[in-house]
Amino acid sequence: MKKIQHLLDLLKKYPAPTAAEPRLGGPSSGVDRRGFLRNSALGGLSMGMLFDGRPERELEFITQKVKRESKPSELKITDMRIAVLQGVPFSSPIIRIDTNQGLVGWGEVRDGASANYALMLKSRILGKNPCNVEQIFKQIKQFGNHGRAAGGVCGVEMALWDLAGKAYNVPAYQLLGGKYRDYIRLYADTPEGKDYDEFAKHMVRRRDQGYTFLKMDFGIGMLADTPGMLVGTKNWNVKQQWNDAKPGLMGNYAQTKHPFTRIQVTKKGIDALALHVSKVRDIVGYDTPLSADHFGHFDVNTAIQIGKAMEPFRLAWLEDLVPWFYTDQWKQISDAIETPTLTGEDIFAKEEFIKLIDAKAIDMIHPDLASSGGLLETKKIGDYAEEAGIPMAMHFAGSPICMMANIHCAAATENFVALEHHGVDVDGWEDIVTGIKPIVEKGFVKVPDKPGLGVELNEEVAKKFLRKGATWFAPTDSWNTRDSSDRDWS
């Protein structure tokens, strides 16, 4: 009788919800007062000896598997842990943020970035309410920077929107103001192959997969072995555009900004590039938008010459011809050629995008949400560009966690054009998460209506991608304590 009285006392303390209140466990749990009593009474009675005289401990035990997302105003961050996945298609640290109500938020540090960019933020977010997304973003924004250095701030921001959506039982796009579209168009990178026959097979495969927007790479690296194509490459390792471990006599080509290599392309070389693109266009046809990227490190003059040679092929854009921060050089290029210009995948936050937009230096913007600031900041970037009449494509090369963050942002931003998908050929990529199946269908993703980002990590599959030597969401207590003052003003 004593244990029954305990339960009755607890039920008086936690009365049945009114019509305006959520049920115990939140809107999706299906747990009400009557069900709680029916399902918990026997368990509570059997624990009589263990919790005798401590009803609050008894209630905690009885309801340990009950979701408690019914009070967003009382939600608090209690932990953050990370597991680094490899081959999705690159390395991607996955963030898990835990809360006092049992809700879990998922985020992702940008491909190729260190997990430490996120871990050092843990001490800044512990104890905070994750629903205050913009407030927390402003507090941690100072720890982001361009390129991969933004990965921690952006990954945490993704996880906060996932938590806020789950707390309020709405999809993330709804918290951003609603959606403009139900389906998000993807553009797919396509491997070139050793010859055009192999490349044609890749293109046919993309067509059969339903992709209606494609991107290719071509640049001076493909000319390096043919005499008479390039000027000034003798002491540069131009085939190592990304590998900074193999410098040439003149220095590290991968780390040398474009104008400083003084490499030029001859008329013969430009004709060869034009022939290459012409053959690709013959394969793709003109019904499908085709964009281009990864040209190499050369100056504005060469960029303009290549851009003019590409005009007959009506490319959707020429991407990153020079580094994003050379605003004046971008304007020179954009003013000189008819093919649209695009940059932005390494820019952090809206301020630098605003400079490019205000200068009318580029025709399109290309933020990577995992570098640009996360969902809300990227929407702000898109909205600013929209007011200037500039469309937004989105760069992406990560796991389905980050993709879904992009999907919600793209849905909520009016001037969106297409989102990159870099993991088309990764076996098991879609199975890394649960909640939406298939993720990609005929080159589009249906915007999910489930709370938060709309997916959960599928641990069984995701563990297969765990980077060798990495831990699986191991404790991160060493990052719990802040050892610096963060105020950046006096």
Side-chain angles (χ1 to χ4, degrees), residues 9 36 97 118 135 143 216 226 292 348 355:
D9 291 342
F36 168 77
I97 294 181
Q135 180 190 58
F143 301 108
M216 62 180 293
T226 306
F348 174 58
K355 292 178 184 178

Side-chain angles (χ1 to χ4, degrees), residues 139-159:
Q139 291 172 345
I140 64 175
K141 179 181 177 182
Q142 64 177 296
F143 301 108
N145 208 329
H146 304 297
R148 269 63 183 178
V153 171
C154 301
V156 167
E157 199 261 10
M158 291 180 213

Side-chain angles (χ1 to χ4, degrees), residues 134-175:
E134 187 172 28
Q135 180 190 58
I136 295 175
F137 174 75
K138 287 181 177 179
Q139 291 172 345
I140 64 175
K141 179 181 177 182
Q142 64 177 296
F143 301 108
N145 208 329
H146 304 297
R148 269 63 183 178
V153 171
C154 301
V156 167
E157 199 261 10
M158 291 180 213
L160 297 180
W161 283 117
D162 192 28
L163 283 167
K166 290 171 179 175
Y168 288 103
N169 199 37
V170 295
Y173 72 76
Q174 198 68 64
L175 297 174

Side-chain angles (χ1 to χ4, degrees), residues 227-457:
M229 298 282 190
L230 302 173
V231 178
T233 60
K234 183 176 181 181
N235 296 312
W236 292 107
N237 197 345
V238 297
K239 288 188 172 182
Q240 300 297 328
Q241 186 173 351
W242 307 109
N243 188 350
D244 58 9
K246 295 184 178 181
L249 292 175
M250 289 289 290
N252 195 317
Y253 176 75
Q255 295 294 339
T256 301
K257 298 177 181 67
H258 297 44
F260 310 133
T261 66
R262 305 317 305 155
I263 291 172
Q264 295 174 297
V265 184
T266 67
K267 177 65 165 58
K268 181 180 177 181
I270 289 176
D271 288 344
L273 293 177
L275 178 62
H276 176 78
V277 177
S278 175
K279 290 182 177 180
V280 174
R281 257 303 182 204
D282 288 342
I283 296 169
V284 174
Y286 281 86
D287 289 336
T288 301
L290 176 65
S291 57
D293 188 17
H294 300 329
F295 307 102
H297 296 186
F298 43 72
D299 63 11
V300 170
N301 309 81
T302 299
I304 291 172
Q305 291 167 10
I306 292 175
K308 287 183 175 179
M310 296 303 117
E311 288 174 3
F313 310 114
R314 288 296 180 264
L315 298 180
W317 66 68
L318 296 175
E319 179 178 334
D320 293 332
L321 285 161
V322 294
W324 62 264
F325 40 78
Y326 292 133
T327 304
D328 291 342
Q329 293 187 16
W330 269 111
K331 184 165 176 56
Q332 281 182 265
I333 296 169
S334 297
D335 288 347
I337 67 176
E338 300 300 325
T339 302
T341 56
L342 169 147
T343 194
E345 70 181 68
D346 294 311
I347 300 178
F348 174 58
K350 61 184 179 296
E351 289 78 11
E352 295 297 333
F353 279 100
I354 289 172
K355 292 178 184 178
L356 285 164
I357 293 166
D358 286 352
K360 297 179 173 59
I362 52 176
D363 297 302
M364 300 177 68
I365 59 168
H366 195 223
D368 186 308
L369 185 143
S371 277
S372 56
L375 283 78
L376 180 58
E377 187 77 355
T378 305
K379 175 174 166 51
K380 289 180 179 180
I381 292 164
D383 289 346
Y384 191 88
E386 178 201 338
E387 292 184 0
I390 293 176
M392 178 178 77
M394 298 175 72
H395 180 273
F396 161 70
S399 86
I401 297 288
C402 188
M403 172 177 268
M404 298 318 298
N406 278 273
I407 293 299
H408 286 274
C409 181
T413 311
E414 187 172 10
N415 64 336
F416 166 79
V417 175
L419 169 67
E420 183 168 17
H421 185 15
H422 222 298
V424 181
D425 299 322
V426 176
D427 290 338
W429 186 88
E430 293 209 353
D431 296 325
I432 292 173
V433 296
T434 60
I436 176 174
K437 193 73 172 180
I439 297 176
V440 180
E441 191 168 13
K442 300 296 184 182
F444 286 81
V445 178
K446 189 177 189 304
V447 180
D449 285 326
K450 294 183 178 181
L453 298 183
V455 294
E456 299 291 336
L457 192 69

